[in-house]
């Protein structure tokens, strides 16, 4: 009996020691040795940077990897987060098209061979890819605003055409659509099961890559992709300025900004030497190489893990790539400091922001039309919107970037509505010009819709010259 009691006591002590040991390991108070199959953090070497771990200093390779936006990288999202007593009323999505083939070719080099057909057994893959291709192939009767009805609904060339959306680009937006569906439809039930055409507002530029990106996102987003309910409007301007595109002051700011870019390039002797080296390799004048915008093609090589092009004189290399990419980063930094681009952005982004505010106001009054809006656009669309909103530190729009405005109603005070702004899944509302000080003055957890309305209808013009009271007046101000 005594032996049995001692045995039970020893067993209890052993269990206690095991519990304490595991607890200490869990809270990282004692080290845990690596197993035979594990690799220690000191010995592990990374060929490409881990996109989750941001380097302590600006790294052009890391920034380029973020720009690629590889679909295999898991992403956290804050869309659809709000206090429990708030109801989602409408959502307004601005996207950049997905990964594409270059717009420019590097002179006298072999054309980059990328297959733009959509193949299920090729990476990157998405579970809806095959169904997407099948559904798009049946959409010949789709009714879009001209000239969109003449564009292909999905990429299909064995050798990509210039600027064509790739399989990576399609998968990026299928993922975007799936993510937004899980949040806005499954969780918040933004659209009813019997949704109608009137509840969507869809607009795209006249490029196949923007139309196809929009279709990919919608296919991932909508539970029932019915061609009879899908109608895309055509926007001739990348600024989505509709009938308000003529703006002399905006053009003036753009000319000044382009001159600033030119002067910065002239000051960068390392960049000029790099262009000179590259020009010798491809055997063309430096001016001709620079005009071909080689970083566009080199980024495509980088994002698709394809070696940079070679000639009989040598190869373009990672060092060339790093120099040009570093200059781009420096250009973005100086652009924020000089504020010329801000003037361009305030006027360039006003029409599309004004449309969004008007749509929000109608929804706040109980309107059920256009409660989900999608603008399928370009980097030159999103970049000025980000700048105009005061999001100066936001990174340049990557492939398949998304900027989202959410409108919420307070169920406890139904007449009060609030907005959230999210960029690539990150809540940036309280970094915007119109709401960065709100939490200092109010205990409310959300930014009032009135703040955004006042910013678009008044403060954007005051930020320009302090006297203009309308978009037309600001655009045509004398004394430029």
């Amino acid at each position: 009996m005594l032996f049995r009691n001692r045995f039970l006591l020893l067993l209890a002590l052993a269990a206690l020691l095991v519990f304490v040991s595991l607890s200490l390991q869990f809270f990282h108070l004692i080290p845990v040795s690596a197993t035979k199959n594990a690799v220690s953090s000191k010995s592990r070497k990374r060929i490409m940077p881990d996109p989750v771990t941001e380097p302590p200093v600006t790294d052009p390779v890391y920034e380029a990897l973020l720009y690629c936006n590889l679909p295999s990288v898991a992403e956290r999202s804050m869309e659809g987060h709000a206090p429990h007593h708030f109801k989602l009323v409408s959502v307004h999505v601005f996207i950049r098209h997905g990964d594409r083939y270059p717009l420019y070719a590097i002179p006298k080099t072999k054309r980059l061979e990328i297959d733009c057909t959509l193949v299920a057994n090729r990476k990157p893959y998405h579970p809806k890819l095959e169904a997407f291709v099948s559904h798009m192939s049946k959409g010949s009767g789709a009714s879009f605003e001209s000239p969109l009805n003449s564009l292909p609904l999905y990429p299909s060339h064995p050798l990509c055409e210039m600027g064509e959306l790739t399989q990576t680009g399609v998968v990026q937006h299928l993922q975007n659509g799936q993510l937004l569906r899980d949040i806005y439809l499954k969780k918040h039930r933004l659209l009813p099961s019997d949704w109608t055409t009137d509840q969507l507002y869809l607009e795209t530029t006249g490029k196949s890559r923007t139309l196809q990106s929009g279709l990919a996102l919608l296919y991932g987003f909508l539970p029932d992709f019915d061609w009879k309910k899908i109608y895309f409007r055509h926007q001739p301007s990348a600024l989505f300025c509709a009938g308000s595109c003529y703006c002399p002051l905006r053009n003036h700011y753009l000319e000044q900004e382009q001159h600033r870019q030119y002067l910065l390039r002239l000051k960068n002797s390392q960049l000029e030497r790099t262009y000179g080296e590259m020009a010798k390799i491809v055997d063309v004048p430096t001016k001709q190489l620079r005009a071909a915008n080689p970083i566009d093609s080199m980024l495509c090589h980088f994002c698709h893990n394809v070696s940079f092009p070679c000639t009989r004189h040598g190869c373009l290399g990672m060092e060339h790539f790093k120099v040009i990419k570093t200059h781009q980063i420096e250009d973005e930094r100086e652009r924020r400091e000089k504020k010329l681009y801000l003037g361009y952005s305030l006027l360039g982004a006003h029409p599309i922001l004004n449309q969004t505010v008007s749509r929000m106001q109608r929804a706040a009054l109980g309107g059920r039309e256009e409660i989900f809006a999608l603008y399928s656009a370009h980097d030159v669309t999103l970049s000025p919107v980000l700048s105009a909103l005061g999001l100066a530190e936001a990174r340049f729009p990557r492939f398949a970037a998304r900027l989202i405005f959410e409108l919420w109603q307070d169920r406890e005070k139904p007449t009060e509505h609030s907005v959230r702004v999210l960029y690539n899944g990150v809540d940036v509302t309280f970094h915007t010009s119109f709401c960065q000080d709100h939490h200092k003055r109010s205990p409310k957890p959300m930014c009032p819709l009135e703040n955004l309305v006042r910013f678009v209808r008044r403060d954007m013009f005051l930020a320009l010259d302090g006297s203009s009271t309308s978009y037309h007046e600001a655009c045509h101000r004398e004394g430029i």
Side-chain angles (χ1 to χ4, degrees), residues 183-194:
I183 295 169
Y184 295 136
L185 298 189
K186 290 185 177 180
K187 181 179 179 181
H188 291 288
R189 304 184 184 279
L190 177 67
L191 295 175
S193 57
D194 58 344

Side-chain angles (χ1 to χ4, degrees), residues 101 104-113 278-284 288-289 292 294 297-298 301 307-316:
Y101 194 78
Y104 307 89
I106 299 177
K108 295 188 178 181
T109 61
K110 184 181 179 182
R111 187 178 173 190
L112 178 59
E113 294 184 2
M278 295 170 67
K280 289 179 181 178
I281 291 173
V282 299
D283 194 24
V284 297
Q288 181 182 347
L289 175 74
S297 182
M298 294 181 82
H301 281 79
S307 300
F308 296 130
C310 296
T311 70
R312 60 189 178 90
H313 301 292
C315 295
L316 304 182

Side-chain angles (χ1 to χ4, degrees), residues 67-68 99-104 112-114 160 164 166 294-308 321 399:
Y67 178 84
C68 296
D99 177 81
R100 59 158 172 76
Y101 194 78
L103 298 173
Y104 307 89
L112 178 59
E113 294 184 2
I114 294 181
C160 295
E164 186 172 7
T166 66
I295 190 64
D296 182 58
S297 182
M298 294 181 82
L299 274 167
C300 191
H301 281 79
F302 179 85
C303 293
H304 288 261
N305 201 24
V306 178
S307 300
F308 296 130
F321 178 79
F399 285 131

Side-chain angles (χ1 to χ4, degrees), residues 393-461:
E393 300 303 316
R395 281 187 168 93
F396 188 79
R398 67 192 188 187
F399 285 131
R402 64 183 190 275
L403 175 66
I404 297 180
F405 292 78
E406 298 174 347
L407 177 66
W408 296 83
Q409 180 188 44
D410 188 341
R411 287 190 176 97
E412 297 176 352
K413 299 179 180 178
T415 59
E416 294 188 4
H417 291 78
S418 302
V419 295
R420 294 178 76 230
V421 183
L422 301 105
Y423 184 48
N424 295 329
V426 178
D427 187 346
V428 295
T429 310
F430 294 107
H431 295 276
T432 61
S433 299
F434 64 87
C435 218
Q436 60 185 357
D437 296 326
H438 171 71
H439 64 284
K440 299 177 183 177
R441 303 190 304 267
S442 172
K444 295 181 180 179
M446 306 274 274
C447 185
L449 172 61
E450 292 76 19
N451 284 33
L452 177 59
V453 173
R454 184 168 55 249
F455 173 74
V456 173
R457 302 278 166 79
R458 188 194 70 180
D459 295 349
M460 289 181 75
F461 311 127

Side-chain angles (χ1 to χ4, degrees), residues 92-144:
H92 311 262
V93 182
F94 302 68
I95 59 170
R96 185 192 177 187
H97 58 76
D99 177 81
R100 59 158 172 76
Y101 194 78
L103 298 173
Y104 307 89
I106 299 177
K108 295 188 178 181
T109 61
K110 184 181 179 182
R111 187 178 173 190
L112 178 59
E113 294 184 2
I114 294 181
D115 186 350
C116 272
T117 57
L118 303 181
V119 182
N121 60 1
R122 186 179 68 217
K123 292 183 179 180
Y125 175 71
H126 189 276
K128 287 192 171 185
L129 183 62
E130 292 171 278
F132 171 76
V133 174
S134 175
H135 213 85
M136 293 303 109
S137 64
K138 300 173 184 175
S140 57
S143 177
F144 298 152

Side-chain angles (χ1 to χ4, degrees), residues 48-66:
M48 297 295 283
D50 180 354
V52 177
T53 307
E54 186 163 353
V57 294
T58 301
D59 179 353
V61 175
Y62 174 82
E63 294 297 324
L65 191 61
L66 291 181

Side-chain angles (χ1 to χ4, degrees), residues 121-412:
N121 60 1
R122 186 179 68 217
K123 292 183 179 180
Y125 175 71
H126 189 276
K128 287 192 171 185
L129 183 62
E130 292 171 278
F132 171 76
V133 174
S134 175
H135 213 85
M136 293 303 109
S137 64
K138 300 173 184 175
S140 57
S143 177
F144 298 152
E145 186 176 5
S146 181
L148 301 178
N149 46 20
S150 64
L151 297 178
L153 302 180
Y154 61 99
S156 59
H157 294 94
L159 179 60
C160 295
E161 295 187 341
M162 305 302 283
E164 186 172 7
L165 194 69
T166 66
Q167 178 162 319
T168 300
V170 171
V171 169
Q172 286 168 335
H173 278 303
L174 285 173
Q175 284 189 350
N176 273 342
Q178 183 71 54
L179 183 149
L180 299 184
R181 177 184 177 180
D182 290 343
I183 295 169
Y184 295 136
L185 298 189
K186 290 185 177 180
K187 181 179 179 181
H188 291 288
R189 304 184 184 279
L190 177 67
L191 295 175
S193 57
D194 58 344
W195 61 275
T196 64
T197 303
D198 293 340
Q199 290 173 311
L200 305 183
Y201 181 85
L202 312 174
E203 191 169 359
T204 179
T205 61
K207 301 294 184 182
S208 63
R209 60 183 177 273
T210 52
L211 175 61
Q212 292 164 6
S213 292
L215 288 170
L217 186 146
L218 282 176
Y219 192 79
F221 177 69
L222 295 170
D224 174 26
F225 190 99
D226 186 345
W227 281 114
K228 297 177 182 178
K229 299 180 181 180
I230 306 298
Y231 181 77
F232 267 98
R233 293 164 176 81
H234 172 240
Q235 176 51 244
S237 168
L239 289 176
F240 284 69
C241 47
S244 305
C245 291
Y246 181 63
C247 184
L249 184 58
R250 183 196 68 221
N251 296 338
H252 173 70
Y253 278 125
L254 181 59
E255 290 171 3
Q256 288 187 317
E257 167 62 14
Q258 291 171 338
H259 184 63
R260 178 202 63 76
Q261 294 176 350
Y262 172 72
L263 293 178
L264 181 64
R265 181 174 61 78
L266 288 183
K267 291 191 297 183
N268 193 334
S269 57
Q270 184 183 21
L271 179 68
E272 290 302 298
R273 285 196 303 270
T274 298
Y275 276 135
E277 292 173 8
M278 295 170 67
K280 289 179 181 178
I281 291 173
V282 299
D283 194 24
V284 297
T286 303
K287 186 176 181 180
Q288 181 182 347
L289 175 74
R290 193 186 303 115
N293 193 23
I295 190 64
D296 182 58
S297 182
M298 294 181 82
L299 274 167
C300 191
H301 281 79
F302 179 85
C303 293
H304 288 261
N305 201 24
V306 178
S307 300
F308 296 130
C310 296
T311 70
R312 60 189 178 90
H313 301 292
C315 295
L316 304 182
M318 183 58 77
E319 291 308 311
H320 300 130
F321 178 79
K322 287 181 179 178
V323 169
I324 302 176
K325 187 61 185 173
T326 299
H327 177 76
Q328 284 189 329
I329 296 169
E330 173 62 20
D331 178 73
E332 290 177 31
R333 184 194 63 77
E334 188 186 82
R335 185 179 72 182
R336 291 192 293 265
E337 292 178 355
K338 298 289 186 180
K339 301 285 180 78
L340 296 171
Y341 187 75
L342 176 60
Y344 165 78
S345 298
L346 288 167
L347 292 169
H350 182 268
I352 194 170
L353 288 176
N354 193 44
Q355 293 173 39
T356 301
V357 163
S358 296
R359 203 166 282 121
M360 283 183 167
Q361 287 181 308
R362 291 195 295 270
L365 292 173
R368 293 297 295 165
E369 295 183 352
E370 300 179 354
I371 56 176
F372 180 83
L374 173 64
Y375 295 94
S376 190
H378 305 265
D379 52 1
V380 293
T381 312
L382 268 66
S383 186
V385 174
L386 292 167
S387 178
L389 291 173
L391 300 172
E393 300 303 316
R395 281 187 168 93
F396 188 79
R398 67 192 188 187
F399 285 131
R402 64 183 190 275
L403 175 66
I404 297 180
F405 292 78
E406 298 174 347
L407 177 66
W408 296 83
Q409 180 188 44
D410 188 341
R411 287 190 176 97
E412 297 176 352

